[in-house]
C-alpha cells in the first residue's frame, strides 16, 4: 500500500491518459466510422446513392481490418503511425492506432443501425424533394440516433479495452501503469485498484450512454 | 385508382413524382416532362407534389410541427413564415393543439392528418395518396376521407387516390382508373365505370369492391340451398326498381326470391345488383326475362352446377 501511495501521482496521470486516449479515439473513430457506415448503407442495392463498386470496396476493407486482433494491428501499423506522427510510442501513437482500428468496427455498427431505420421515412423525404445528402443528415441519422448512441457506448467500452492493450506496448495510461508498477513488481494491490478504476470508467460511460439514448428515444 | 394487389398501382403513382423512372415512355406532370429532367430538377418538381402513405411515414425524431415544417425548410422558407404556415396547416387538419407532440403519441387517424398537413405544406397542386386509409378503422377512415375531400374542394388540390375501399371511392372519387397487370384497363367517370364495366376483368374487380355479385364459390353454396334458376340483375338508378321487377315476375307467374345482392350509392346514384332465385315453368321464366330485357333491364344467369 505504501508503494501505491508513492505511485499515486503517476496513477492519477495514468487515469488522465486513459481518459484522454479513450475520449479522443471515440470522437475520431466515431466520426470516421459514421462516415464509413453511412457510405456502406447508402451505397447498398436500392440505397439512396446505390453504388456497387464503392460498396464492395468499403465492405472488403472493413472485413479485412475488423478480424485482426488489436495487439497485432497496433504493431502492424507502426510504419504508418511513424509516418504520420513521427513516433509510435505514447498517448498519440495509441490514439492513432485505436481510432483507426475502431473506426471499422463503428462502420459496421452504424450500418446495422441505419438498416433498421424505417425506409418509409426516407421515401417520404425523397417524395418531398430532399437531396440524398440532406436526407442523410436531417432524416437518416436523427431517425437512427437512439440505437446509434447505444452502438457508440458499446464501442466506448471496447476502446477502454484497446487503450489498456495499447499500454502494454508503450501507449501510456492505466495499461502501462498496471504493467510497470503492478505486474513487474508483483504488486497485486495495484493491479486490482487499476481494474477497479477501469470498471468505474466503463460503468460511468455506460450509464451516460444509456441516458443519452433514452433521451433520444424519449422512453 | 383501383385494381388487384400487384396490379401496378403504387408503381404508377410513384412514376408521377419520379420516385420511380420508367424504362420507356414519358411522364408529364403539368408542363414538366419528368422523364426528360435531371435528378436535381426533378427534386424541385417533387416539392410541388404532396404524398401521403399507408404507414404515414412521419419522422419520429421530430415533433408534429417539426414534421410539417420539414418540407418548408427544404423549400428555403424562413422561420417566421414557416411558423405561420405550420400553425395554419395544423389548424386546417384540426391538430393545432398537438403541435408539440411526437408522432408516437398520436392515434392512426391523427398521424395521417399530420401526414396530410405535411404533404400540403408547399401548396402542391397535386396530392398522391397510396392506400392512405388502409391502415385505419372505418370511422377514422371516414374522417380522413372527409378531410381529403376538403383538401380537394376548398384548396383545389387534385388528389390521386389508390384504394380498394368502396367507402373511399364513394366519398371522394370523381374519376376512376382500373389497373390490371401494369396497365390502366379502364378510365372514366366513377359511376359509368362501376355501372357499365367494359371488360370482364373490370367487372370482376368492380364486383369485389361493390360486393354486389356472388363469387363462383358463393354461387355454388347458393345452389345447394336454392334449386331454382339463379339470375343476377344490375340495379338501375330509377325509382321503384325492385317493385317493377316483382311485378313483372308476378305477371308471368314466376316465383322469385332475392338470395344475394348489394346496393350502394355512388355520386348520388344507386348502383348494385340483385341475385334472384326464379322458380316456375322454364318458358314463363324466359318470357319474364324477355319482358325485362324489353325495358332495358339486362340479366346474367349464373351457370348451372
Ligand atoms: N408497368 C409495369 N411494368 C413492369 N413491372 C411493373 C409494372 N407495374 C408494376 N410492376 C411491378 O409489379 C409489382 C407490383 O407493383 P405495385 O405497384 O407494388 O402493385 P400494387 O401497388 O398495385 O399492389 C412491382 O414489383 C412492380 O415493379
Ligand atoms: Mg401498392
Amino acid at each position: 500500500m505504501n508503494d501505491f501511495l508513492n505511485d499515486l501521482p503517476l496513477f492519477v496521470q495514468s487515469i488522465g491518459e486513459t481518459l484522454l486516449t479513450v475520449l479522443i479515439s471515440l470522437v475520431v473513430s466515431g466520426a470516421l466510422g459514421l462516415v464509413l457506415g453511412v457510405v456502406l448503407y447508402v451505397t447498398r442495392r436500392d440505397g439512396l446513392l446505390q453504388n456497387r463498386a464503392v460498396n464492395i470496396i468499403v465492405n472488403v476493407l472493413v472485413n479485412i481490418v475488423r478480424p485482426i486482433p488489436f495487439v497485432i494491428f497496433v504493431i502492424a501499423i507502426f510504419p504508418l503511425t511513424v509516418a504520420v506522427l513521427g513516433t509510435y510510442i505514447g498517448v498519440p501513437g495509441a490514439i492513432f492506432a485505436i481510432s483507426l482500428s475502431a473506426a471499422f468496427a463503428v462502420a459496421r455498427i452504424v450500418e446495422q443501425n441505419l438498416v433498421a431505420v424505417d425506409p418509409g421515412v426516407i421515401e417520404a423525404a425523397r417524395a418531398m424533394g430532399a437531396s440524398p445528402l440532406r436526407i442523410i443528415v436531417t432524416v437518416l441519422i436523427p431517425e437512427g440516433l437512439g440505437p446509434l448512441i447505444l452502438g457508440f457506448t458499446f464501442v466506448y467500452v471496447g476502446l477502454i479495452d484497446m487503450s489498456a492493450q495499447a499500454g502494454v506496448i508503450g501507449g501510456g495510461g492505466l495499461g502501462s501503469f498496471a504493467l510497470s508498477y503492478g505486474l513487474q513488481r508483483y504488486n497485486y494491490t495495484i493491479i486490482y485498484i487499476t481494474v477497479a478504476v477501469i470498471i468505474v470508467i466503463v460503468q460511468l460511460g455506460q450509464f451516460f450512454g444509456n441516458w443519452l439514448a433514452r433521451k433520444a428515444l424519449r422512453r | 385508382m383501383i385494381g388487384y394487389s400487384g396490379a401496378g398501382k403504387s408503381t404508377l403513382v410513384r412514376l408521377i413524382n419520379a420516385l420511380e423512372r420508367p424504362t420507356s415512355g414519358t411522364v408529364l406532370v403539368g408542363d414538366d416532362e419528368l422523364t426528360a429532367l435531371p435528378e436535381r430538377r426533378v427534386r424541385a418538381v417533387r416539392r410541388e407534389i404532396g404524398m401521403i402513405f399507408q404507414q404515414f411515414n412521419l419522422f419520429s425524431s421530430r415533433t408534429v410541427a417539426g414534421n410539417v415544417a420539414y418540407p418548408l425548410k427544404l423549400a428555403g422558407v424562413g422561420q417566421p413564415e414557416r411558423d405561420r404556415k405550420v400553425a395554419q396547416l395544423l389548424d386546417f387538419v384540426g391538430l393545432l393543439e398537438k403541435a408539440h407532440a411526437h408522432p408516437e403519441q398520436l392515434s392512426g387517424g391523427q398521424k395521417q392528418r399530420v401526414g396530410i398537413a405535411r404533404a400540403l405544406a408547399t401548396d402542391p397542386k397535386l396530392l398522391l395518396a397510396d392506400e392512405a386509409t388502409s391502415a385505419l378503422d372505418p370511422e377514422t377512415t371516414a374522417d380522413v376521407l372527409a378531410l381529403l375531400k376538403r383538401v380537394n374542394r376548398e384548396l383545389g388540390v387534385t388528389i390521386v387516390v389508390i384504394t380498394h375501399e368502396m367507402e373511399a371511392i364513394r366519398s371522394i372519387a370523381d374519376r376512376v382508373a382500373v389497373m390490371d397487370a401494369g396497365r390502366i384497363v379502364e378510365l372514366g367517370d366513377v359511376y359509368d365505370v362501376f355501372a357499365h364495366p367494359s371488360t370482364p376483368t373490370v367487372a370482376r374487380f368492380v364486383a369485389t369492391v361493390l360486393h354486389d355479385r356472388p363469387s363462383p364459390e358463393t354461387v355454388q353454396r347458393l345452389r345447394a340451398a336454392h334449386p331454382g334458376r339463379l339470375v343476377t340483375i344490375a340495379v338501375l338508378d330509377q325509382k321503384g326498381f325492385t317493385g317493377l321487377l316483382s311485378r313483372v315476375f308476378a305477371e308471368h307467374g314466376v316465383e322469385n326470391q332475392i338470395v344475394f345482392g348489394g346496393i350502394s350509392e355512388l355520386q348520388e346514384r344507386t348502383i348494385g345488383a340483385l341475385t334472384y332465385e326464379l322458380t316456375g315453368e322454364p318458358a314463363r321464366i324466359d318470357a319474364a326475362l324477355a319482358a325485362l330485357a324489353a325495358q332495358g333491364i339486362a340479366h346474367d344467369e349464373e351457370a348451372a352446377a
Side-chain angles (χ1 to χ4, degrees), chain A residues 120 123 126 128 138 143 218, chain B residues 14 57 60-62 70:
Chain A
E123 168 107 338
R126 271 208 333 127
M128 286 179 233
T138 62
E143 291 290 313
R218 288 186 303 282
Chain B
R14 290 160 51 86
N57 296 350
S60 59
S61 53
R62 293 168 196 272
Y70 188 81

Side-chain angles (χ1 to χ4, degrees), chain B residues 153-174:
Chain B
R153 302 288 145 87
E154 291 175 25
L155 307 179
V157 176
T158 302
I159 310 181
V160 178
V161 180
I162 294 178
T163 186
H164 54 259
E165 297 164 311
M166 185 57 200
E167 189 51 37
I169 299 165
R170 185 182 12 241
S171 60
I172 55 175
D174 298 311

Side-chain angles (χ1 to χ4, degrees), chain A residues 57-72:
Chain A
I57 291 170
V58 179
N59 253 308
V60 167
L61 200 64
V62 171
N63 287 343
I64 290 174
V65 176
R66 268 212 329 146
I68 304 176
F70 180 65
V71 211
I72 296 174

